[in-house]
């Protein structure tokens, strides 16, 4: 296994910072701002992978795909999955 140099403290801070992304996604959903949802999904996909949060990266891919399709129901499902993911890791 390759040592990524990412500490548990760095991962904790990463998770804490994702709450701001969630707030932005909630607002984008209200406004049906699919471009913002797509951009945030894309960013989450990349940085979640960097931190080895592959489950979050998969959710972000689904969000990005839903946003491109302007599929509000699927975007909402993905955003709620991000909310659940954060809740489990913020304890």
């Amino acid at each position: 296994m390759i040592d990524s140099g990412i500490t548990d403290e760095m991962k904790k801070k990463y998770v804490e910072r994702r709450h701001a992304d969630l707030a932005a996604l909630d607002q984008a959903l209200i406004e049906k701002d699919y471009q913002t949802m797509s951009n945030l999904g894309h960013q989450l996909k990349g940085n979640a992978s960097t931190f080895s949060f592959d489950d979050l990266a998969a959710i972000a891919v689904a969000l990005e795909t839903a946003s491109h399709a302007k599929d509000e129901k699927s975007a909402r499902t993905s955003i709620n999955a991000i909310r659940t993911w954060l809740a489990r890791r913020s304890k």
Side-chain angles (χ1 to χ4, degrees):
M1 181 186 211
I2 298 173
D3 179 10
S4 66
I6 296 174
T7 65
D8 287 343
E9 184 61 30
M10 292 167 73
K11 285 184 175 186
K12 181 179 176 187
K13 287 189 184 294
Y14 171 80
V15 170
E16 289 171 3
R17 291 182 181 137
R18 299 298 57 89
H19 289 279
D21 291 340
L22 181 59
L25 285 167
D26 284 337
Q27 188 61 39
L29 187 62
I30 290 167
E31 297 173 3
K32 294 183 178 29
D33 182 351
Y34 294 103
Q35 186 63 51
T36 295
M37 286 186 269
S38 176
N39 291 345
L40 285 168
H42 184 78
Q43 290 170 8
L44 276 171
K45 176 178 65 176
N47 59 39
S49 294
T50 299
F51 281 85
S52 299
F53 291 129
D54 296 332
D55 49 349
L56 179 58
I59 297 166
V61 168
L63 174 60
E64 190 176 14
T65 300
S67 299
H68 284 224
K70 296 185 176 172
D71 180 347
E72 182 179 352
K73 182 180 178 192
S74 294
R76 182 180 309 281
T77 297
S78 295
I79 292 167
N80 285 333
I82 292 167
R83 184 180 332 283
T84 300
W85 187 93
L86 283 171
R88 285 194 322 254
R89 282 157 186 80
S90 297
K91 293 179 180 182

